[in-house]
Amino acid sequence: MNRKDGTAKVTGTATYGAEHQIAGLVHGYLITANIASGKIVSINTETALKSPGVIKIITHENRPSIAEPTNNFMDSKIYEARLPLSDNQIHYGGQIIGLVVAETFEQARHAAHLVEVEYSSQPPDIDPEQVEFSDAPSMFGEDMTFKKGEFETGDLSDAMDQADIHITATYTTATELQAPMEPHAIIAHWEGNNALTVYEPSQWVVGSQQTYAELFDLSKEQVRIITPFIGGGFGSKAFPWSHAILCVAVARELQRPLKVVLSRRQMTANAGHRSQTEQTLSIGVKNDGTLLAIDHLAKSFTSPVDVFTEPCTGITPAMYRADNLRTRQELAVFNVGVPTFMRAPGENPGLWALESAMDELAWALDIDPVELRLKNETHQHQQKNLPFSAKAFSECLRVGVKEFGWFQEPRQVRSMSRDGQQIGWGMSASTFPALRGMATVTVRLLADGSAEVLTSANDMGTGCYTIVAGTASEILQLPVEQIQVKIGDSSLPNGGMAGGSQMTATLVPAVMSACQEVLKQAQKSTAIEALEYLKTSGQEAIEGTASSSPGEEGQKWAFQSWGAHFCEVSVDEEIARLRVKRWLSVMNVGRVMNPKTAASQVRGAIIMGIGHALMENCDFDPYLGLPTVYDLATYHYATHADVPRIEVIFVGEPDYNFNPAGVRGLGEIGITGVSAAIANAVYHATGKRIRDLPMTPDKLM
Ligand code: MOS
């Protein structure tokens, strides 16, 4: 199937958060701090208030009242625990210190620059060598401690002694930005003090609904979140950010619809990032390639105003069998905005380190890297102590070897060249856990022969519209064009969250059940027959509602998706130019709902992985602590010219232990392992082992 929302998107008729037309709308522009640590001594708004069109200026001195939300992952959640404008303290560069409201955007922006702020500043913490690390606290409560990334089994030092070969290496990644195409934006529209409508990109509409309700002392029913389209989120649009909370608060005071759109520069500090990481891996192995011991320590950085650990080590006990394992996570505080989820949080940097180390081991052992992985595959999640369900990792590797035309003979460093450039091949494993939540869906079969699927779920570019329509079409046996999908509205039945790659596995079983419910009510087996029933009964519609949620299966099985990447790079050593020339990924994700959009999802993730590997880096000025990137020209990510043809193949079987659709989800897996595959290919091409991302030309010199 083609993407159902594709035409609306490319013709400009898809309405994004900031594009909703509301009568009487006024505009807010943020005032942000240009120091990274210290406090505001004085803030003078006199001149700005006299500027044309200005309606109001809010700072910490006249901050609106906002209630503390529960702020956990189950009920409500805000990205930054410190409520906006709490006091005069500055914790990071670009922190929001005020909001100017004016009749037009330009008037608000102009006035924001007339506000005079006097600071007292101190040197920011931004140097990894100068900050203190401690054990990372659990972010998900005590019952989800495995996410903390701490685990130990066996006897590590004993096993390292028994090993024939060990390697210890440290791998780093840079601070990265989610950088979605659609900037963060919100329109808050109050009708009186008890009815709030929010137009804002949200990966979790019912979560946002509850969160705004708590922040503004409302019942859930008094809040409506509308988000039919999202221009990319990658983890940065799951919960309300400070700018949005402030916008809603000020809109209530003014009793006027208020729009706040972040500039790219403002997004750098106020819309999340992936923390830079430093990971040290020690691996002990026997001469025949059997892994004995893995010790994985990861360090990342959080903000003074919240706790977020980049959970790099969570994946290690799932990946390869080793009877002696230890994983640890340490955290330090930087004067930066709040780091958060970014596509494959933890798994992406985690596999960068682990899959690079596996390649280093393969060279040290003189074993083919595919062989080494096959030899050490685990059929058990070693931390959960559960067998994997429907795992086809070895098939990913074998199909990849065949389709890529992988080495038939032992590989040699610097053995391939073309047109004066070094050529290298590299591979890596790819993996991501399969999650599933609860969803409710209503399906209505209408007398005109069309059907509506209604659920609050959303599509942030993932293909949700398409697979929901496809599923309904399959069960009702109606052409897909006759299925209307209405999502992205909290007034619809709870469709769950688009995060952790769980939306498809969450939603599809509920769509299936709701369609079956419609047919059951008509006592027919297809929609065509049911329509006859509808005509004779004179009803307007046959409606079916169903919910679907996980049961006890998570106590019997570990659910995880798998894959393998194979790539070719060229390195022009004279000018240190690295190009990715060819890519093949083989993925095992359970049932594939729609091959076209599924392959697209994986391709998008690989492209994001190429950016992570080659260019993405949000540096901070070491003295001022301010980000040195501030738009899409200074924050480099992969463009078309950086991307080769990408082949995606799916293998394996539907995972019916996981849910009745057998689908596991594939939003994030594609990015995992990409950077390692490239670094491994660079080593084969040049003999240079790169352990620090991104692989910019200076590192190839
Ligand atoms: Mo994702 S990083 O769970 O949106």
Side-chain angles (χ1 to χ4, degrees):
M1 275 182 293
N2 286 326
R3 187 174 288 267
K4 193 154 175 74
D5 47 333
T7 306
K9 283 183 166 174
V10 299
T11 55
T13 55
T15 309
Y16 291 85
E19 296 177 331
H20 292 270
Q21 300 299 313
I22 315 290
L25 183 96
V26 291
H27 299 262
Y29 195 87
L30 298 171
I31 314 167
T32 54
N34 49 30
I35 64 163
S37 180
K39 61 182 181 208
I40 298 169
V41 175
S42 72
I43 186 159
N44 182 351
T45 57
E46 222 169 285
T47 317
L49 275 167
K50 288 185 204 135
S51 183
V54 171
I55 297 165
K56 182 141 191 143
I57 300 179
I58 305 280
T59 69
H60 69 279
E61 291 173 349
N62 61 346
R63 67 183 286 259
S65 85
I66 303 166
E68 289 280 345
T70 313
N71 197 20
N72 62 27
F73 286 92
M74 301 299 137
D75 305 297
S76 65
K77 178 73 191 150
I78 54 177
Y79 277 113
E80 177 175 333
R82 176 185 183 269
L83 291 175
L85 311 182
S86 293
D87 49 36
N88 67 344
Q89 299 298 305
I90 304 298
H91 302 280
Y92 53 90
Q95 179 186 314
I96 296 167
I97 57 170
L99 182 76
V100 177
V101 180
E103 295 294 342
T104 71
F105 172 78
E106 289 76 10
Q107 288 170 333
R109 183 176 57 184
H110 177 66
H113 292 104
L114 299 176
V115 174
E116 292 157 34
V117 188
E118 206 185 309
Y119 302 98
S120 89
S121 67
Q122 60 201 49
D125 285 329
I126 201 70
D127 181 351
E129 306 296 321
Q130 302 288 323
V131 288
E132 218 170 287
F133 287 89
S134 51
D135 283 349
S138 175
M139 300 186 296
F140 296 86
E142 288 313 308
D143 52 335
M144 290 181 78
T145 43
F146 77 93
K147 259 287 182 185
K148 190 177 166 190
E150 304 238 332
F151 179 62
E152 192 161 2
T153 185
D155 184 333
L156 206 65
S157 66
D158 203 41
M160 290 292 184
D161 287 346
Q162 285 169 27
D164 297 316
I165 291 178
H166 26 76
I167 61 155
T168 295
T170 297
Y171 306 89
T172 68
T173 64
T175 302
E176 296 170 86
L177 305 176
Q178 284 88 350
M181 209 190 295
E182 177 204 17
H184 285 68
I186 177 170
I187 298 171
H189 186 193
W190 288 87
E191 282 153 293
N193 276 310
N194 296 314
L196 168 66
T197 304
V198 171
Y199 303 87
E200 180 185 31
S202 168
Q203 295 176 227
W204 190 26
V205 279
V206 293
S208 281
Q209 181 191 28
Q210 176 64 27
T211 305
Y212 284 117
E214 290 185 16
L215 286 161
F216 297 99
D217 276 323
L218 301 170
S219 72
K220 205 168 164 165
E221 293 68 32
Q222 292 170 317
V223 181
R224 185 173 174 198
I225 313 290
I226 296 179
T227 180
F229 296 99
I230 303 175
F234 311 114
S236 74
K237 290 175 179 167
F239 320 110
W241 284 106
S242 294
H243 72 273
I245 299 169
L246 189 57
C247 175
V248 175
V250 176
R252 180 167 62 177
E253 274 196 14
L254 294 174
Q255 286 293 312
R256 300 213 28 201
L258 176 61
K259 166 151 64 171
V260 173
V261 179
L262 267 60
S263 67
R264 288 278 162 193
R265 185 189 285 265
Q266 291 168 346
M267 281 170 65
T268 306
N270 296 295
H273 63 270
R274 190 202 303 274
S275 166
Q276 63 185 77
T277 66
E278 183 190 296
Q279 300 174 70
T280 302
L281 269 159
S282 296
I283 305 185
V285 63
K286 277 189 167 322
N287 273 330
D288 68 355
T290 309
L291 294 180
L292 292 180
I294 305 177
D295 190 13
H296 189 176
L297 167 66
K299 295 177 175 181
S300 69
F301 302 87
T302 190
S303 166
V305 291
D306 211 321
V307 174
F308 186 90
T309 306
E310 182 70 22
C312 303
T313 60
I315 202 59
T316 309
M319 202 60 230
Y320 300 112
R321 190 195 150 134
D323 292 339
N324 310 282
L325 271 168
R326 182 171 67 169
T327 66
R328 290 168 294 160
Q329 289 272 162
E330 292 182 355
L331 192 63
V333 176
F334 268 174
N335 286 112
V336 295
V338 177
T340 190
F341 304 96
M342 177 167 160
R343 205 174 204 167
E347 290 83 5
N348 183 37
L351 275 201
W352 150 246
L354 185 59
E355 290 300 288
S356 292
M358 287 295 279
D359 197 65
E360 297 202 43
L361 265 181
W363 286 105
L365 291 158
D366 203 12
I367 290 180
D368 184 88
V370 174
E371 201 59 47
L372 182 65
R373 286 165 175 86
L374 284 169
K375 192 175 182 77
N376 290 290
E377 183 181 6
T378 175
H379 296 283
Q380 187 94 1
H381 190 298
Q382 295 162 106
Q383 186 168 6
K384 293 182 181 172
N385 257 319
L386 293 170
F388 289 115
S389 173
K391 178 177 184 182
F393 177 53
S394 58
E395 198 181 339
C396 294
L397 292 166
R398 291 199 180 96
V399 170
V401 164
K402 181 161 169 281
E403 298 300 322
F404 187 83
W406 189 245
F407 302 96
Q408 294 301 305
E409 294 175 5
R411 44 180 197 165
Q412 300 279 327
V413 167
R414 300 187 67 86
S415 57
M416 286 162 35
S417 63
R418 191 192 305 138
D419 303 331
Q421 305 190 7
Q422 289 303 120
I423 303 293
W425 289 354
M427 60 79 54
S428 124
S430 187
T431 189
F432 195 82
L435 306 178
R436 181 189 173 203
M438 192 284 286
T440 304
V441 170
T442 295
V443 172
R444 304 180 79 226
L445 181 65
L446 305 172
D448 68 0
S450 70
E452 290 179 338
V453 186
L454 309 164
T455 180
S456 73
N458 63 64
D459 191 328
M460 57 169 156
T462 49
C464 183
Y465 278 106
T466 314
I467 54 116
V468 166
T471 303
S473 156
E474 184 180 305
I475 302 209
L476 297 172
Q477 295 186 33
L478 281 180
V480 72
E481 296 75 27
Q482 277 158 250
I483 313 284
Q484 306 302 321
V485 180
K486 295 195 178 155
I487 58 176
D489 183 339
S490 63
S491 66
L492 298 170
N494 182 353
M497 179 197 223
S501 301
Q502 66 182 301
M503 179 126 287
T504 303
T506 298
L507 208 51
V508 166
V511 174
M512 289 166 67
S513 299
C515 291
Q516 279 149 359
E517 185 59 32
V518 166
L519 297 176
K520 205 171 102 194
Q521 286 194 23
Q523 297 182 319
K524 304 289 183 215
S525 60
T526 71
I528 304 294
E529 295 164 9
L531 279 168
E532 286 304 315
Y533 163 87
L534 195 56
K535 273 178 201 150
T536 52
S537 72
Q539 279 172 256
E540 183 200 332
I542 307 174
E543 191 172 299
T545 294
S547 297
S548 185
S549 46
E552 302 290 295
E553 65 276 4
Q555 284 157 35
K556 283 214 307 240
W557 301 98
F559 300 108
Q560 184 101 11
S561 283
W562 306 93
H565 299 297
F566 294 81
C567 72
E568 177 177 308
V569 302
S570 71
V571 181
D572 184 335
E573 292 184 303
E574 268 179 52
I575 56 169
R577 179 158 67 189
L578 164 58
R579 311 288 283 176
V580 180
K581 304 298 274 188
R582 183 156 75 93
W583 202 280
L584 169 72
S585 294
V586 188
M587 292 282 151
N588 161 222
V589 297
R591 182 181 166 195
V592 174
M593 299 307 301
N594 181 36
K596 188 170 185 176
T597 46
S600 249
Q601 268 286 77
V602 175
R603 277 192 194 100
I606 292 163
I607 292 167
M608 202 165 171
I610 292 173
H612 159 74
L614 265 49
M615 60 271 285
E616 293 192 41
N617 180 11
C618 174
D619 259 328
F620 295 90
D621 183 293
Y623 303 105
L624 302 173
L626 303 175
T628 59
V629 308
Y630 43 84
D631 57 19
L632 296 185
T634 47
Y635 186 72
H636 295 171
Y637 55 52
T639 65
H640 284 84
D642 301 302
V643 178
R645 184 181 173 82
I646 298 172
E647 207 77 49
V648 180
I649 299 172
F650 293 102
V651 299
E653 300 295 324
D655 191 344
Y656 291 119
N657 294 322
F658 188 41
N659 61 59
V663 62
R664 284 202 295 244
L666 41 63
E668 291 166 272
I669 184 171
I671 195 173
T672 70
V674 167
S675 49
I678 295 173
N680 298 342
V682 168
Y683 182 78
H684 175 237
T686 66
K688 204 180 273 273
R689 175 60 63 181
I690 298 195
R691 301 192 183 91
D692 301 308
L693 293 184
M695 291 176 246
T696 42
D698 51 307
K699 293 172 191 162
L700 289 159
M701 292 282 188

